[in-house]
Amino acid sequence: MSTFLVLLVGALIVVAALMTVTQRNPIHAALSMLIALGGVGALMIGLKAHFLAAMQVLLYGGAIMVLFVFVIMLLTLREDELGPEPPSATRLLAAVGALALTFILFSALSRRSDTEFREPDNDAKIAAAEAKGDVRRRTKVYYGSTEHFARVLYTDYAVPFELITVLVMAAVAGVIVLARRPDSMTLEATKLMASPAASRAASAGGGAA
Amino acid sequence: MTEFVLTPGMIGFAATILKALFVIGMALQIVPGCIYFERKIAAYVQHRIGPNRVNFTIGTLRYLMPESMRDVIPEGLARVKLIPGSLQPLADAIKLAFKEEVIPEKADKLLYNLGPMLTFIPVGTALCFLPFGATLIVPDANLFGIEIQRTVIEMSVSNVVPGMLMLLAVSSLGVYGIACGGWGSGSKYPLMAAVRAAAQMVSYEVPLGIAFLIALASVGSLDGQEIVRNQAETWHGFGWLVFRQPLAALIFLVAMFAENNRLPFDLPEAEPELVGGYHTEYTGLKFAIFFLGEYCAMILMCGLFTTLFLGGWSLGPIEPVEVFGSTIEPLITAEGGILNVLLSVAVFTVKMLSVLLLQLWIRWTLPRFRYDQLMDLGWKVLTPLALANLAITAILISKFPNFTFFA
Amino acid sequence: MAGSHDHVEEALPPGKSFADRVYLPAVMRGLKLTVQKFFGTVTDKHATVQYPEVGIYDASEAERAIGHPNPRYRGEHILVKDEQGREKCVACLLCMAACPALCIHIEPEPTPPEWGDRERRPKVFEIDMLRCIYCGYCEEACPCDAIRLTPKFYTPTTSRTERVYDKERLLENNPAAQIPQRPAK
């Protein structure tokens, strides 16, 4: 049953992820991505990492994707503003990069020892506690708890955690560089120098940037 | 004869279904009452009468009787109105149900249809994490040859440990319904309203989340039942977080109004300024579902406030009482019988409805904030205050683990 | 109660004191006010007249919380009668000329010889109440105080033709009864 659910959710995630990159409509792409992120949250619930699942939905679903959707709604891109299709060489490179990333992640994750991420047998502990009549305090389940998560994150994985923040910073800087429009004056000047036709159009149409 | 055995798993499964039906049923029952009282309170505050035309009279009961018995009720008595205007929500619902569905030509059909669902589904899901009563313990018993094994039933539909966090996470997805509805309508006014709503809800999720964290940190648990029990056990039953963390409670309350798009923060639906909000292009049942989702979100947030700050289903300092051979505990422990559980559910409902009443009351008192005032209040006042409160709380917790005044 | 404005405070510029900037004292005062109004309505009275059941003139003093309709209200017209019960109108057509909405239609005829005091009277005097803008110019134009506007405003009918009042109906128009008078068939 649980295997079936994992497969189902996995298929959903794959389909949603594919739709994220294939949809032309940016809102549809963003919502597909939301479905993919939610599916990952569902997988985390399946692994009894409830805290992580809640965080996944709260941060990615409730905050980050809302901003995505918000920005897309503000821009309301038209079909002609979406830009040209990337050349096939770029696509090929992207596919190779994605495959390489998949391979690296897979090998990195499969190299961990199997027991490290396996849930210890909690059911027996809970049953023992309930048999004693101790239902007033729910039996503490350490595995997957907030404490467990925090301890692992801030001890064993402190360096990767910090490195990821650097990565995010780099991504933000890159986005700013990519999205920054050239100075409008410079743009006009370049256009005028580049072609006399553009210069005529600019003087006639008031130079719509 | 083989004896039929009800294992804890079977009882738990049945109980989960019953609890889910109870929670959704309660929410859907409160909504019409809430609409009725909203209109009545509005009217009374403004020296009017409010809805009084669609009545449930004693004569209405005739239609439930066989034809021969209908004359039992005399004509004069039949005209007596039981609660004036009480059937108004029903009339509204019927009106909406029979309206023509109009889908705008420019609408994105998929998103347009998804919008109302996406407002209601997250709220309905989040209601599952609300702890609404004391834990019920079904004892070992043998009823009519059926052996019942001892089962512990938590009074919340889902009892995962970080339940409160799950609730916050799922309810934060409610923005998508508004965004989809506004964007998918293919019209400018709903889009503007949706952008305003999304900005407002994202902004106020920050102080809401931090106030939430303060409550969780003070209790030291993400589990709803644990939060309630902690409040019931400190200060002899009155350790409600509203007394222990008054500032956090206030911040949560204000942010709650903004999250629900209620006055004084109802800018997404500001009728005089926008055409009507993100649901301008909706008619009929889809509009009704938007409405339902909003009111259910109100109920959810009131329930959350009750759980986090008003001691949930606990009643306060009361000595154990013996009623019909069953001990009613001071609602602090979970070891009570079915009466205890029912009483705790009633206490929770009353507390939640009081917060709901406060929401209605405030709506008819305060004028609307301007948009810049709204953002100022959210980002420049509530968020720094909440962060300061969180920092102080964290320091106090780490220094004095048993200190209950602030932590 | 209704109509009293003792709760309206003098409008001041936004305060700069701490209490003003926190909003909370003002919110508390507002909540107090609304709860007072709420219970005031519950225990005392409300401003609503149950309109179709209770006419505005039928309402008792207590029910008529919004006050009497102003006696100078410009509602439906009435043609004034003289001491002998005849219409005062001499069909001079001045009101017809003054009417900006062109809703008055008069056809004059000679008076019977036994009247003696005037030569003309209206054979047809019709006012289309749907066209009338209730400006009162006809009242001002009339040299013999024959047409007046009354405070009667309760005038629903079921057809447009009923809204064209003829001479008899105008003569019999009763401002005291705010009930639509159906034309006799």
Side-chain angles (χ1 to χ4, degrees), chain B residues 131 228 231 240 306-314 344 347-348 351:
Chain B
V228 173
Q231 295 181 61
W240 296 358
T306 309
T307 305
L308 287 180
F309 293 102
L310 295 183
W313 40 259
S314 70
S344 67
V347 167
F348 178 79
K351 282 183 186 175

Side-chain angles (χ1 to χ4, degrees), chain C residues 10-84:
Chain C
E10 198 181 337
L12 291 170
K16 289 277 173 266
S17 74
F18 181 72
D20 288 335
R21 287 189 304 175
V22 173
Y23 294 121
L24 286 178
V27 169
M28 287 301 164
R29 261 181 288 149
L31 289 176
K32 194 178 138 216
L33 178 75
T34 38
V35 81
Q36 278 170 356
K37 294 286 167 191
F38 181 88
F39 286 110
T41 315
V42 171
T43 54
D44 195 359
K45 60 191 170 189
H46 43 74
T48 310
V49 175
Q50 297 283 346
Y51 179 46
E53 289 90 9
V54 183
I56 193 87
Y57 280 101
D58 309 337
S60 70
E61 196 65 34
E63 283 171 321
R64 206 185 301 146
I66 55 171
H68 303 265
N70 194 318
R72 294 172 64 183
Y73 182 90
R74 294 199 296 261
E76 279 190 358
H77 310 69
I78 185 172
L79 279 182
V80 184
K81 297 175 186 170
D82 61 10
E83 296 79 11
Q84 288 127 50

